[in-house]
Amino acid sequence: MHAKDLPEIRHLPLFRDMRQASFDTLMDKAYAQSFPMGLELIRQGDPADFLHVVMEGSVELYAHWAGHESTMAVVHPVGTFILAACVRDQPYLMSARTLERSRIILIPASDLRVTFRQDPDFAVSVVTELAGCYRAVIRHTKGLKLRNSRERIAAWFWRQAAQRGNLASFVLPVEKRFLASYLGMTPENLSRSLKSLEADGVKVDGSRVIITDRARLEALVQPDPLIDGA
Amino acid sequence: MHAKDLPEIRHLPLFRDMRQASFDTLMDKAYAQSFPMGLELIRQGDPADFLHVVMEGSVELYAHWAGHESTMAVVHPVGTFILAACVRDQPYLMSARTLERSRIILIPASDLRVTFRQDPDFAVSVVTELAGCYRAVIRHTKGLKLRNSRERIAAWFWRQAAQRGNLASFVLPVEKRFLASYLGMTPENLSRSLKSLEADGVKVDGSRVIITDRARLEALVQPDPLIDGA
DNA sequence: TCTTTTGGTTGATAAAGATCAAGCAATCTA
DNA sequence: TAGATTGCTTGATCTTTATCAACCAAAAGA
């Protein structure tokens, strides 16, 4: 556990408002570890031992059943994952693997559970964080059910651009096959849709995305804060 | 607000462990109301004013975008809904309407937010409840992404039977069109799939479901606690 | 009781998306 | 740098699911 990580972790909404003493004891039990690319950090069904914080790299959360696999989320720095399993002391619902070499902070779930029972400010932060996670999944599921695959891709691009201050061009932060799976389609389907989206104001060349016609894209996306986020 | 409701509400996991004083003040601000069938209780995007508790009847949570509509959940007694929007003081992500004549308890969101900051036991209950809601949506989304429509229907039947103590026959608690939408398909698709599922151990006659061959159904469903619940 | 309404079913057809196979190009590695 | 690997793309085809329209039956209302 490196001292230089502490300010960054402390700055996260989840840890921002807790008592310094609680934060210190929690961090005291935590440790950092670096993992190579492609390593399975968590297997779905395993007991929830640690809250994970991604400091560097990126982590895919994915689900599998009957030989099928689906990307549920990709976590980038600085972000946490599987808080819900930790607080309920129940098995993980998703597996996790590193998408690149990653540095992860591991916070023992048992200490977490003790801490939010002792520090009311932290409890409030956990409540707020979990409510936010819940709402994020609901929004994603709404997108899956209400939009077709072309619209989902367009909406994802629109959102990415918006998060970068409406930048007209950016590089994909994940490989296309994970994006495809996250958006609930096959890589082939994504590939074909990308080509057809040139007519709707997005051009994709390799991993570079260029919004060529923002108005046209927006007409297709019909952005909705209750799906795409504020 | 009827006194006879209090024990039932108090028995809910969310309210079970809070201090009596907190519960009393919360219930003091709450009030009960009866609504006719088909009434829109909540419109998505509205500010979160009340935590809702269904005492009688049933309520559909649904989402809409660009003229499309999709059932996200159906809440039966005794169940709560839109806790997340309340604790974050943010707009509802889903609309809600009564599916039949229903009696609902309305607990002001502002009082709720005050209470879980003052009563640590209640805060822990809210944490646990929200984590449970989050995990329920994740499980449902996993089902949507990993299973095809036939499998989703079969899994839903299997789960319903399991919740009723592996009863071989039960009556659908919702109209088929809502079930179809909840499971992410059209009513026509559901209707056709139901017929084809006779070959897999489920027979449906009107609103009556009969599990004719549990083993066969289970072979199709491949039940997984990480999707179908424990 | 007789209509009217509404939810459900069925059939025909269309569209969306998945699958399989082959080819390509960028990246990694020896 | 050459070869191998890997992810992406493209084409052909098949499956799944949606759409549209008609019809039926149960339930609600006059």
Side-chain angles (χ1 to χ4, degrees):
Chain A
M1 182 79 205
H2 306 302
K4 71 173 168 75
D5 291 331
L6 291 176
E8 274 195 276
I9 298 173
R10 184 67 157 145
H11 188 257
L12 288 170
L14 183 57
F15 300 109
R16 192 179 293 161
D17 299 318
M18 71 196 301
R19 290 200 298 252
Q20 185 63 41
S22 316
F23 182 72
D24 291 342
T25 52
L26 212 52
M27 288 304 117
D28 212 51
K29 307 291 184 70
Y31 59 95
Q33 207 170 333
S34 278
F35 300 97
M37 171 181 160
L39 193 100
E40 189 177 64
L41 299 170
I42 287 170
R43 181 179 287 269
Q44 70 175 40
D46 283 352
D49 293 328
F50 297 99
L51 175 68
H52 292 58
V53 187
V54 184
M55 302 307 294
E56 291 167 22
S58 54
V59 174
E60 181 203 11
L61 304 183
Y62 63 104
H64 34 101
W65 174 83
H68 300 267
E69 205 173 285
S70 187
T71 302
M72 299 295 288
V74 176
V75 187
H76 293 276
V78 182
T80 67
F81 59 93
I82 42 94
L83 176 60
C86 289
V87 305
R88 288 197 70 113
D89 198 9
Q90 284 178 350
Y92 297 121
L93 294 178
M94 299 179 274
S95 297
R97 72 164 76 96
T98 54
L99 293 179
E100 53 195 309
R101 178 165 184 79
S102 301
R103 203 157 56 81
I104 315 274
I105 309 284
L106 299 154
I107 303 172
S110 52
D111 295 302
L112 192 89
R113 284 190 292 271
V114 168
T115 305
F116 79 71
R117 272 160 228 271
Q118 290 175 345
D119 182 341
D121 292 327
F122 185 49
V124 170
S125 295
V126 173
V127 164
T128 309
E129 179 85 4
L130 281 171
C133 292
Y134 172 81
R135 288 168 62 88
V137 198
I138 289 285
R139 286 193 286 100
H140 184 232
T141 307
K142 282 175 66 172
L144 284 173
K145 293 184 79 177
L146 292 169
R147 297 210 260 232
N148 65 27
S149 57
R150 262 184 112 244
E151 291 164 342
R152 292 201 296 277
I153 300 166
W156 189 87
F157 283 153
W158 181 87
R159 177 72 180 141
Q160 289 294 313
Q163 285 179 335
R164 290 163 170 79
N166 284 327
L167 222 64
S169 173
F170 59 91
V171 172
L172 288 176
V174 284
E175 286 177 21
K176 285 179 187 165
R177 57 198 174 120
F178 296 117
L179 178 59
S181 179
Y182 175 66
L183 295 176
M185 65 191 75
T186 57
E188 295 93 328
N189 190 1
L190 174 64
S191 185
R192 277 182 253 270
S193 296
L194 286 182
K195 184 168 278 188
S196 89
L197 278 173
E198 285 189 29
D200 284 276
V202 211
K203 178 139 181 28
V204 180
D205 180 39
S207 66
R208 172 146 304 270
V209 181
I210 303 155
I211 313 279
T212 54
D213 188 340
R214 216 180 115 68
R216 207 158 163 62
L217 176 63
E218 216 162 279
L220 173 64
V221 172
Q222 297 182 252
D224 179 344
L226 306 179
I227 298 179
D228 306 295
Chain B
M1 184 75 209
H2 306 302
K4 72 173 169 76
D5 292 331
L6 291 175
E8 274 195 277
I9 298 174
R10 184 66 157 145
H11 188 256
L12 288 170
L14 182 57
F15 300 108
R16 192 178 294 161
D17 299 317
M18 70 195 302
R19 289 199 298 252
Q20 186 63 41
S22 316
F23 182 72
D24 291 341
T25 52
L26 212 52
M27 288 303 117
D28 213 51
K29 308 290 184 70
Y31 58 97
Q33 208 170 332
S34 279
F35 301 96
M37 172 183 160
L39 194 100
E40 190 177 64
L41 299 170
I42 287 170
R43 180 179 289 269
Q44 69 175 42
D46 284 352
D49 293 329
F50 297 98
L51 175 68
H52 292 57
V53 187
V54 184
M55 301 306 296
E56 291 167 23
S58 54
V59 174
E60 180 203 12
L61 304 183
Y62 63 104
H64 34 101
W65 173 83
H68 299 265
E69 205 174 285
S70 187
T71 302
M72 300 294 289
V74 175
V75 187
H76 293 276
V78 181
T80 68
F81 59 94
I82 42 93
L83 176 60
C86 289
V87 304
R88 288 196 69 113
D89 198 9
Q90 284 178 351
Y92 297 121
L93 294 179
M94 300 180 273
S95 297
R97 73 163 76 96
T98 54
L99 293 179
E100 54 195 308
R101 178 167 182 77
S102 301
R103 203 158 54 82
I104 315 274
I105 309 284
L106 300 155
I107 303 172
S110 51
D111 295 302
L112 192 89
R113 285 190 292 272
V114 169
T115 304
F116 79 70
R117 272 160 228 272
Q118 289 176 346
D119 182 341
D121 292 328
F122 184 49
V124 169
S125 295
V126 173
V127 164
T128 308
E129 179 85 5
L130 281 170
C133 292
Y134 172 81
R135 287 168 63 87
V137 198
I138 289 285
R139 287 192 286 101
H140 184 232
T141 307
K142 283 175 66 173
L144 284 173
K145 293 184 79 177
L146 293 169
R147 297 209 259 231
N148 65 26
S149 58
R150 260 182 113 247
E151 292 164 342
R152 292 200 297 276
I153 300 166
W156 189 86
F157 284 152
W158 181 87
R159 177 72 180 141
Q160 290 294 313
Q163 286 180 333
R164 291 164 171 78
N166 284 326
L167 222 64
S169 174
F170 59 92
V171 172
L172 288 176
V174 284
E175 286 177 21
K176 286 180 187 163
R177 58 198 172 120
F178 296 118
L179 177 59
S181 179
Y182 175 67
L183 295 176
M185 66 193 73
T186 57
E188 293 95 327
N189 190 1
L190 174 64
S191 184
R192 276 183 252 269
S193 297
L194 286 183
K195 184 168 278 186
S196 90
L197 279 174
E198 285 189 29
D200 284 275
V202 211
K203 177 135 181 32
V204 180
D205 180 39
S207 65
R208 171 146 303 269
V209 181
I210 302 155
I211 313 279
T212 54
D213 187 340
R214 215 180 115 67
R216 206 158 166 63
L217 176 62
E218 215 162 283
L220 174 63
V221 172
Q222 297 182 249
D224 179 345
L226 307 178
I227 298 180
D228 305 296

